[in-house]
Amino acid sequence: QRLKGDLDTIVLTALRKEGDRRYHAVSALAEDIRGHLRGDPVRARPLTFSYLTGRFVWRYRVQVLAAVLVLLSLVVGGVGTAWQSVRASREANRAAAEAARTRKMNDFLESLLTTPDPIRGLSPDATLAELTDYALSRLDEDFADNPGDRGSLRRTLAGTYLNLGVFETAREQLELAMAEHRGAYGDEHIETIRTERVLGVYHDM
């Protein structure tokens, strides 16, 4: 599993029969190997957007994770402030629930961004589509007891599928998210309304 990806491509390029497709010099091969060890994109692979993005996220995974956690903290903090103004008597219970929710979502994000999963076949240079599929495959297990948070993450993943042009999967996930939010919160909750809006945008496309 560890030989897949850039290292495998470097070896195959060095062994190609066509001279114009091999490395033109030993120095070019050495530079690609050094780049692989640094976590940089290698010249032997097409420099597609998904490949460059995957290399960037993998090389700077700690910084990317920190940025995601800061953004998540800001969102959770904003929701907490609004809720406190109208439900002061429930603050202690709400804070404890939000803290647990944040920890679980942070753990979920960290596991996706910092550690490849060779058992399930997720390599360090996985594409955005592969990361999205992997995240989706873990939702039911990791958030089995929390349909509300599961629906919110499912809605986010559906948005990624829309951007990738995988429309049928996006529709299926939005409909599942809507069912989960209605079951967890009812029709008037903000999360249900947000999911309904995204589903409306999908149908208007």
Side-chain angles (χ1 to χ4, degrees):
Q1 182 67 32
R2 294 180 61 187
L3 295 179
K4 292 183 178 180
D6 286 348
L7 189 58
D8 189 35
T9 303
I10 290 171
V11 173
L12 291 176
T13 300
L15 295 175
R16 285 191 179 279
K17 294 181 178 180
E18 308 91 337
D20 59 337
R21 301 184 67 184
R22 291 198 304 268
Y23 288 104
H24 65 274
V26 174
S27 59
L29 170 61
E31 179 57 31
D32 255 3
I33 293 175
R34 284 193 292 266
H36 169 69
L37 295 175
R38 292 193 303 265
D40 291 337
V42 299
R43 297 178 182 179
R45 294 192 61 167
L47 300 180
T48 63
F49 175 77
S50 60
Y51 171 65
L52 291 174
T53 301
R55 287 285 84 199
F56 177 84
V57 170
W58 177 245
R59 184 174 183 183
Y60 299 102
R61 54 193 180 277
V62 175
Q63 294 90 331
V64 171
L65 176 62
V68 170
L69 295 182
V70 168
L71 179 60
L72 181 60
S73 298
L74 290 174
V75 172
V76 172
V79 172
T81 301
W83 184 254
Q84 183 180 10
S85 65
V86 294
R87 292 287 186 269
S89 63
R90 301 180 182 179
E91 180 57 29
N93 290 336
R94 187 209 60 80
E98 285 293 330
R101 173 177 178 264
T102 300
R103 282 196 302 273
K104 189 165 187 176
M105 295 183 76
N106 286 353
D107 291 343
F108 183 77
L109 291 171
E110 182 178 4
S111 67
L112 290 179
L113 292 174
T114 62
T115 308
D117 189 346
I119 295 177
R120 303 190 186 194
L122 191 67
S123 64
D125 56 340
T127 64
L128 178 59
E130 290 170 337
L131 282 171
T132 306
D133 290 341
Y134 175 61
L136 183 61
S137 72
R138 289 181 46 177
L139 275 185
D140 289 336
E141 177 181 347
D142 290 10
F143 292 88
D145 58 346
N146 198 327
D149 289 348
R150 186 171 67 242
S152 298
L153 287 166
R154 195 184 300 278
R155 182 184 62 214
T156 299
L157 296 175
T160 304
Y161 281 121
L162 284 175
N163 292 333
L164 292 170
V166 189
F167 299 113
E168 186 61 23
T169 301
R171 179 190 62 79
E172 293 173 355
Q173 296 309 311
L174 285 172
E175 290 177 351
L176 285 173
M178 176 63 71
E180 288 167 340
H181 280 155
R182 280 177 172 164
Y185 304 131
D187 289 337
E188 303 302 321
H189 193 276
I190 185 62
E191 287 298 305
T192 307
I193 294 172
R194 286 172 178 166
T195 303
E196 187 174 22
R197 287 176 179 172
V198 178
L199 191 57
V201 170
Y202 170 83
H203 287 304
D204 288 340
M205 293 176 63

